Amino acid sequence: MGRPNTGKSTLINALVGRKVAITSSKPQTTRHAIRGIVHRADAQIVLVDTPGLHKPRTLLGQRLNDIVRATWSEVDAVVLCIPANEPIGPGDRRIAADIAGLKQAKKFAVVTKTDLVGPAKLAEQLMGVAKLGEHAGISFEDIVPLSAVADDQVELLSELLIKQLPESPPLYPEGAVTDEPTETMIAELIREAALEGVRDELPHSLAVTVEEMGPRSDSENALMDIHAVVYVERQSQKAIVLGAGGARMKEVGSTARAAIEELLGRRVYLDLHVKIAKEWQRDPRQLRKLGF
């Protein structure tokens, strides 16, 4: 857990060893709790990637924060992610104060994105995280500097987490890397592609649903037909997502299709449409329709 855009999803993917959560430079990319499963000879780690805690401005924002807090009550350990290249701020202190009250969970701090700073800055950030824990009344089991992008010290974090986990039969079968429904993963891959290159408020206004999905025929190698809708909140946003002559949406479709084909292991026909759901982030009815 941590503030938006602190490298949580990238770290989850690195720990699992394959992509289970979409990533973006835009904050608040993660919109629900995503489970990633790490299989080892001696252990199984069920990781939960949560939305970034933030000061909500919409009903969607409130519900994302609720997801994080609901997740806390179910875990054996909490990993607080703080990037090496950003100053520790009020958001970090607020989250630290919140998790200090989780008496049952072991607590770790991870300084992410260490590939973006030099040794002096990293040492300063590590000391700052230690002080953050002291002020919040948290006794961190470990503070781990790592880079998920460079795969530096990711394995060390796995080993440290395993030492603190309870004994149990495996919770997931061998080979399972997530319990996300396939349709949800496909919708997320489309949203990931649509997020690239957009700016200002538009990333928050994007939502994707898979309306229909199925093989074109009974043949084992049949094309998979997928029909999906990208939702925005205003007409001006629709024009941005489509691009001149629909060029941008074609690019989104091409990028998303390649990622979906890798996920499914088969060829895909992807049909995308853009629709307006006015102010959906603030509308309870529309939030339910879009899966929130």
Side-chain angles (χ1 to χ4, degrees):
M1 56 176 302
R3 289 182 286 106
N5 208 24
T6 56
K8 298 182 295 297
S9 297
T10 304
L11 177 56
I12 290 271
N13 291 338
L15 286 161
V16 173
R18 59 172 283 190
K19 186 172 191 162
V20 295
I22 68 168
T23 58
S24 166
S25 59
K26 309 296 185 294
Q28 294 176 39
T29 300
T30 302
R31 285 182 172 169
H32 55 286
I34 299 167
R35 284 167 181 79
I37 300 106
V38 180
H39 298 274
R40 292 172 47 127
D42 58 338
Q44 184 181 88
I45 313 173
V46 181
L47 302 159
V48 188
D49 183 20
T50 57
L53 272 172
H54 61 289
K55 189 173 183 178
R57 295 192 300 240
T58 64
L59 181 57
L60 172 65
Q62 291 174 25
R63 291 191 176 176
L64 296 185
N65 281 351
D66 290 343
I67 288 169
V68 182
R69 294 193 166 93
T71 303
W72 289 351
S73 63
E74 303 170 353
V75 297
D76 301 298
V78 172
V79 179
L80 173 60
C81 294
I82 297 175
N85 63 329
E86 296 177 18
I88 295 170
D92 300 302
R93 289 189 283 272
R94 189 163 52 246
I95 295 169
D98 282 343
I99 66 174
L102 302 177
K103 303 305 180 186
Q104 84 286 358
K106 304 291 185 180
K107 299 168 187 71
F108 293 79
V110 166
V111 176
T112 59
K113 307 184 184 184
T114 57
D115 55 302
L116 300 181
V117 300
K121 176 62 180 175
L122 178 56
E124 179 186 330
Q125 193 75 330
L126 288 168
M127 288 189 290
V129 171
K131 288 180 182 176
L132 174 71
E134 289 173 15
H135 291 157
I138 299 172
S139 178
F140 289 122
E141 303 294 331
D142 284 284
I143 301 175
V144 183
L146 59 76
S147 168
V149 171
D151 196 24
D152 181 30
Q153 301 225 103
V154 173
E155 181 63 20
L156 172 63
L157 178 61
S158 285
E159 293 171 1
L160 293 171
L161 287 172
I162 286 169
K163 290 178 182 177
Q164 301 295 339
L165 296 180
E167 285 195 12
S168 153
L171 301 179
Y172 288 88
E174 186 68 33
V177 294
T178 185
D179 60 2
E180 284 287 281
T182 302
E183 288 85 351
T184 301
M185 296 184 73
I186 289 170
E188 287 287 88
L189 289 171
I190 296 168
R191 186 165 66 91
E192 181 180 48
L195 282 170
E196 287 309 308
V198 298
R199 62 188 188 279
D200 301 331
E201 83 288 353
L202 186 49
H204 306 295
S205 297
L206 285 171
V208 179
T209 60
V210 173
E211 303 292 299
E212 192 177 343
M213 172 178 162
R216 188 165 290 187
S217 70
D218 293 334
S219 168
E220 188 177 329
N221 298 316
L223 203 66
M224 179 67 75
D225 284 322
I226 298 172
H227 301 271
V229 176
V230 178
Y231 288 95
V232 294
E233 295 186 291
R234 292 184 285 284
Q235 184 65 42
S236 60
Q237 294 173 339
K238 182 176 180 179
I240 293 170
V241 170
L242 287 171
R248 190 172 182 284
M249 184 47 60
K250 288 177 185 174
E251 189 177 320
V252 168
S254 178
T255 301
R257 186 178 66 252
I260 295 166
E261 287 181 339
E262 184 177 348
L263 171 70
L264 299 180
R266 64 191 300 172
R267 290 171 56 240
V268 164
Y269 169 75
L270 179 59
D271 177 45
L272 289 179
H273 293 272
V274 182
K275 294 184 179 181
I276 298 169
K278 191 174 179 181
E279 301 294 335
W280 67 263
Q281 293 184 78
R282 296 170 171 82
D283 184 338
R285 183 181 60 81
Q286 293 196 91
L287 281 171
R288 283 195 296 274
K289 178 184 173 184
L290 295 172
F292 299 104

